[in-house]
Amino acid sequence: MSTTKYIFVTGGVSSSLGKGIIAASLAKLLQARGYRVTIQKLDPYINVDPGTLNPYEHGECYVTDDGAETDLDLGHYERFLNVPTSQANNVTTGRIYQSVIEKERRGEFLGKTVQVVPHITNEIKERIQILGNSGDYDIVITEIGGTVGDIESLPYIESVRQLKWELGEQNSLVVHLTLIPYLSAAGELKTKPTQHSVKTLMESGIQADILVCRTEHELSDDLKRKLALFCNVGKDAVIQSIDASTIYDVPNMMLEEGLDAVALKKLGLSSEGMPKLERWNEFLQRHKNPKATVHVGLIGKYVELQDSYKSILEAFIHAGAANEVKVKVHSIHSEHIDENNMEETLKGLDGILVAPGFGERGIEGKIDAVRYARENNLPFLGICLGMQMAVIEYSRNVLGLEGANSVEMNPDTPHPVIDLMEEQKHITNMGGTMRLGAWKCNLVPNTIVAEVYGESSILERHRHRYEYNNQYQEQLESAGMKTTGMNPETELVEIVEIPTHPWFVGVQYHPEYKSTVANPHPLFVGFVKAAYEHSKKQDNLAHI
Ligand code: GLN
């Protein structure tokens, strides 16, 4: 019998209450008290993974070291805990059904009718316990996506009910996150929706152990007592989660409210002393007291939805704190940039990041933005598609290769400087078949990347089908765009730089996935530093 304890996080009243942040904050506090913790996200949709979803649906697709395409909440878990997650940390209904159906075809249930209960629920329970049974964790926090009462989350709720019973007293608990709306006309906070959602949970046989109440205003003692009475929990188990100016404040706010202490008490674990949050608080201190502001342009095509570039935005927060500056990110739609307005749109920026992406829409604007950064000595970081656009821009405007392009955008381009990877050529299934996960890259000495990483070999996460075409390498190199990082086994070009430019780096991988509070990503730290240097130079010029 494993000794791992389980915390389930459910949501009620409304979606988008920030279950991921609450789960990550609680995990942070438990980790800071010395417990080994991991977080898992169960997503009730039927896609096998979010890799085939447009970012407008659920925001960014986050990629783990083992190449899983996952929900963006896993990014929060890694950023808060600084512990890598894996495929086991994100399970969808699609994956559950796929696995049950495969078992049925193999004959594992011969003679039986395969049903939601017990076959689907057993599979869910197994997936929840895989992490606990590994022996690597004292506590597993499992976040159930969606809102209680949704048709699609019913099998998950039933699995939690069964597991709670099977695990027995003090081995699991349910944290229910709800919303306490404020009616400005009445000047009152309302508890009724929470009472109803706790009741909905009870109809499925689950009594919430702890309520975390999202609110725009302080909850009075009276209101907490009322919630406790009508929702059948102790008053110390009614936790207020008031709007925060930064998600990184939430662990301290939860500590003040006693969320970790009440959870540990209910699990029969010690909550003596205080969590060790010194490094976390040092980061917060730097984040909240910047000495200057740098302006960075984020050029992408999903900019209407902030969540599309979640990890990039968070990586800027980490790198800003490391440099003691505030990074003001200006999201600029690549479809709105063209040759005529680029000067006007991009002037005043201290650095330009061209974002990852798929498909043709908006790429010409990205190429114009690269050109602007290159010609104006503006620090530049191109990520994945952004790096590919940098290679295209250089090929067209420096090498003079007219019509140079990626075959993703133009299969008939006369100069396919970005080509489909060899192993991708025969792939017909779109799900989970890109070049994914962590790959090794050797760095060329005396380059920007060698300096910022301070290492000669790195492991970075990928998610793409197309690559730098090595047939153009000699031409690009002699014209000044250098390869400064390469996969040692496949010789795929992973990094390009322009040494005559102050700071110009394009990377085929996604550095943003590995940036955490404890370990801000060196490339982002270096890019922000270069942007800061650039802004100081501009200030000096302004004084002349
Ligand atoms: N669409 C490009 C490719 O597949 C880049 C992908 C990305 O930016 N993640 O290679």
Side-chain angles (χ1 to χ4, degrees):
M1 180 70 190
S2 100
T3 52
T4 308
K5 312 265 183 178
Y6 292 85
I7 298 178
F8 303 104
V9 181
T10 57
V13 180
S14 161
S15 57
S16 305
L17 292 180
K19 279 200 296 280
I21 302 296
I22 292 296
S25 300
L26 175 56
K28 182 78 227 169
L29 294 175
L30 298 174
Q31 182 194 51
R33 286 183 180 277
Y35 293 103
R36 297 169 308 156
V37 195
T38 190
I39 320 179
Q40 178 187 45
K41 172 92 190 269
L42 305 182
D43 276 312
Y45 52 70
I46 296 173
N47 301 65
V48 171
D49 62 42
T52 50
L53 293 174
N54 185 312
Y56 292 127
E57 295 280 318
H58 292 277
E60 155 192 289
C61 173
Y62 186 77
V63 179
T64 58
D65 278 336
D66 66 347
E69 295 177 280
T70 72
D71 186 79
L72 60 76
D73 273 342
L74 270 76
H76 290 309
Y77 308 160
E78 289 202 12
R79 288 187 281 274
F80 275 53
L81 298 182
N82 198 35
V83 175
T85 54
S86 70
Q87 181 65 71
N89 295 75
N90 191 197
V91 178
T92 68
T93 295
R95 196 169 288 277
I96 297 282
Y97 272 79
Q98 187 184 44
S99 147
V100 170
I101 291 169
E102 276 167 11
K103 286 182 184 166
E104 186 274 337
R105 291 289 84 183
R106 283 201 299 272
E108 286 186 29
F109 311 119
L110 270 190
K112 293 267 180 279
T113 309
V114 181
Q115 295 179 293
V116 173
V117 182
H119 300 95
I120 296 298
T121 47
N122 281 350
E123 185 74 27
I124 294 173
K125 288 194 289 181
E126 219 173 274
R127 299 285 177 143
I128 294 174
Q129 289 177 291
I130 281 176
L131 289 166
N133 293 342
S134 69
D136 294 338
Y137 306 105
D138 305 312
I139 303 168
V140 176
I141 301 183
T142 298
E143 176 192 346
I144 321 278
T147 309
V148 295
D150 292 350
I151 293 175
E152 54 184 19
S153 52
L154 281 175
Y156 293 97
I157 300 292
E158 168 60 12
S159 306
V160 170
R161 187 196 67 75
Q162 291 183 17
L163 257 184
K164 244 193 134 187
W165 183 83
E166 286 166 6
L167 291 164
E169 287 289 300
Q170 296 207 323
N171 286 325
S172 74
L173 67 86
V174 172
V175 175
H176 189 54
L177 181 66
T178 79
L179 174 70
I180 310 288
Y182 179 75
L183 289 190
S184 47
E188 260 185 294
L189 286 163
K190 291 298 188 188
T191 65
K192 195 72 87 187
T194 297
Q195 295 180 41
H196 280 293
S197 97
V198 170
K199 214 185 217 169
T200 308
L201 207 48
M202 277 178 101
E203 279 165 11
S204 302
I206 296 177
Q207 166 66 56
D209 297 290
I210 297 174
L211 295 183
V212 175
C213 305
R214 295 283 294 111
T215 174
E216 288 172 19
H217 299 272
E218 295 276 340
L219 303 185
S220 67
D221 254 15
D222 268 358
L223 202 116
K224 281 191 171 179
R225 205 169 299 120
K226 182 173 170 188
L227 277 164
L229 176 65
F230 290 116
C231 298
N232 224 6
V233 298
K235 197 175 149 271
D236 62 342
V238 179
I239 305 291
Q240 156 184 299
S241 167
I242 202 158
D243 290 354
S245 60
T246 155
I247 55 170
Y248 298 107
D249 271 340
V250 181
N252 281 314
M253 289 162 66
M254 291 302 104
L255 175 65
E256 225 165 272
E257 282 284 307
L259 174 60
D260 57 329
V262 69
L264 288 169
K265 191 169 90 189
K266 286 184 188 293
L267 292 174
L269 295 172
S270 155
S271 63
E272 266 168 47
M274 283 295 273
K276 289 197 172 60
L277 287 168
E278 288 80 4
R279 282 186 64 194
W280 184 270
N281 289 333
E282 272 167 32
F283 153 78
L284 270 179
Q285 193 61 23
R286 283 194 305 273
H287 171 51
K288 290 186 171 178
N289 299 292
K291 300 205 166 82
T293 301
V294 297
H295 296 269
V296 167
L298 169 63
I299 320 295
K301 67 169 174 179
Y302 311 111
V303 290
E304 304 89 340
L305 185 73
Q306 284 285 304
D307 276 357
S308 307
Y309 301 113
K310 196 78 208 159
S311 294
I312 291 177
L313 297 177
E314 299 304 321
F316 273 130
I317 292 179
H318 310 152
N323 281 290
E324 295 184 274
V325 298
K326 176 180 165 54
V327 181
K328 172 93 186 83
V329 179
H330 300 261
S331 296
I332 301 170
H333 205 302
S334 57
E335 278 186 305
H336 300 161
I337 303 175
D338 58 38
E339 249 177 85
N340 304 323
N341 69 12
M342 73 181 178
E343 170 79 37
E344 190 191 328
T345 315
L346 304 174
K347 75 166 186 279
L349 294 173
D350 304 313
I352 284 183
L353 186 149
V354 175
F358 294 84
E360 210 196 342
R361 186 168 68 93
I363 68 146
E364 294 303 326
K366 286 188 172 175
I367 293 171
D368 288 335
V370 178
R371 179 176 193 168
Y372 182 85
R374 182 176 59 76
E375 291 182 342
N376 292 283
N377 283 334
L378 206 55
F380 169 83
L381 179 58
I383 298 183
C384 206
L385 186 71
M387 174 265 202
Q388 298 176 354
M389 293 302 115
V391 173
I392 294 170
E393 192 278 324
Y394 213 76
S395 305
R396 287 187 190 173
N397 301 327
V398 180
L399 287 181
L401 301 177
E402 214 174 296
N405 212 332
S406 162
V407 297
E408 178 184 8
M409 318 306 167
N410 177 9
D412 304 318
T413 167
H415 300 291
V417 291
I418 304 295
D419 202 359
L420 194 58
M421 278 183 276
E422 204 44 49
E423 65 270 26
Q424 289 284 329
K425 290 195 172 144
H426 308 291
I427 286 176
T428 47
N429 262 358
M430 296 309 275
T433 54
M434 280 188 254
R435 180 184 180 210
L436 290 165
W439 293 81
K440 196 170 162 186
C441 172
N442 286 349
L443 306 178
V444 175
N446 302 319
T447 56
I448 291 179
V449 282
E451 191 196 314
V452 296
Y453 279 97
E455 282 170 72
S456 56
S457 178
I458 54 170
L459 271 178
E460 290 282 4
R461 301 180 193 174
H462 291 250
R463 182 173 186 250
H464 59 110
R465 290 188 201 281
Y466 298 85
E467 57 156 325
Y468 177 111
N469 184 347
N470 287 22
Q471 281 176 3
Y472 290 87
Q473 193 178 4
E474 229 178 81
Q475 263 175 288
L476 282 160
E477 291 263 341
S478 44
M481 176 172 266
K482 305 289 183 194
T483 298
T484 61
M486 199 177 240
N487 180 303
E489 283 107 48
T490 59
E491 302 206 330
L492 287 175
V493 171
E494 312 282 37
I495 312 174
V496 293
E497 290 183 29
I498 302 175
T500 52
H501 183 286
W503 211 98
F504 190 104
V505 180
V507 291
Q508 184 58 78
Y509 52 83
H510 291 262
E512 70 275 22
Y513 294 144
K514 283 182 71 169
S515 188
T516 69
V517 167
N519 270 325
H521 196 285
L523 260 184
F524 277 86
V525 174
F527 174 60
V528 169
K529 184 162 177 251
Y532 182 34
E533 295 300 327
H534 183 273
S535 75
K536 284 196 282 195
K537 243 185 271 159
Q538 297 307 104
D539 283 351
N540 288 343
L541 286 177
H543 290 304
I544 296 170

